[in-house]
Amino acid sequence: MRGARQAETAQGGASSTRIAALLLDIDDTLLDTRSAMRRAAARCIAQVWPEATDRAEELGVRYHADPGGFFGGYTRGELTFAAMRESRLREVATHGGLPWGADAFAGFEQGWPAAFRAGTRAFDDVAGLLDRARADGIFVGALTNSSTEFTTLKLEVVGLSDAFTAIATTDTLGYGKPDARAFWRACELLGSAPEQTVYVGDDLAVDAQAAVAAGLHGVWLDRRGQWGGGGVGVPVAASLDAVSW
């Protein structure tokens, strides 16, 4: 991995194998979803519960943090995407002592698309990575634990709707990362073998290490500088500019 910071136990990246494809996580890898979700949740919470306007930012952070672990239930196929989101909002309402009714979630979801659009952006290093992949004849796909509906919204907002040969989402697959089947199916859709595919994502365990376990060349994108220098078993890159094949 050109320019990547190497973890002590990294296996030397993908240089020994001909790489045919690049598979990318979306949230907090290509898009600053963390910030967008917090802002959108705060805005929608203030709309649904005006009495909580002064606490909306704090509650938006909690919605994104998902202390109840509902998103994990969705990726394991235990919850639908809608049920996951409703459970997250209900947990926030309970924590904040806010009244809950059938119209609360409906109002939150109604306001979400516009609120999320307003705060969504791609990271500055995305365009360069995609340009390099195209120039080298590398197929590019996306594998995300989000839903097709919201993935489509995100990519439209930042102008990346046509950037990928294939996009795999949890609701289309029936399971999500770190399940090895998610990586295998994404490779199949992309037309590449796992051993010919580099996978890049911001979550060490769910993305990079799980990709390696599935037979891909996993890279941990550590945008926030979390790596402390110890062995993590995968190459570590501070930005997409440091990723190669």
Side-chain angles (χ1 to χ4, degrees), residues 36-164:
M37 279 191 66
R38 289 179 172 186
R39 287 193 292 264
R43 176 172 163 179
C44 292
I45 286 168
Q47 290 173 347
V48 173
W49 293 287
E51 67 272 25
T53 298
D54 60 340
R55 293 182 291 151
E57 184 174 345
E58 167 203 341
L59 296 175
V61 170
R62 187 176 183 89
Y63 179 85
H64 172 264
D66 185 25
F70 300 111
F71 190 78
Y74 163 67
T75 63
R76 293 189 297 271
E78 299 166 3
L79 293 171
T80 65
F81 193 73
M84 175 273 294
R85 287 177 62 82
E86 183 172 4
S87 296
R88 286 172 81 157
L89 186 62
R90 185 192 293 263
E91 191 281 332
V92 169
T94 300
H95 172 79
L98 302 173
W100 180 263
D103 57 339
F105 180 61
F108 184 89
E109 290 294 276
Q110 183 178 10
W112 183 268
F116 192 80
R117 279 180 177 275
T120 300
R121 70 172 185 86
F123 289 107
D124 293 340
D125 52 9
V126 173
L129 177 73
L130 297 178
D131 287 345
R132 288 194 286 115
R134 282 191 289 266
D136 290 346
I138 300 293
F139 293 114
V140 181
L143 172 60
T144 174
N145 276 354
S146 188
S147 71
T148 299
E149 177 184 359
F150 282 107
T151 297
T152 299
L153 170 65
K154 296 167 190 174
L155 297 180
E156 285 179 351
V157 170
V158 298
L160 292 177
S161 297
D162 300 322
F164 307 102

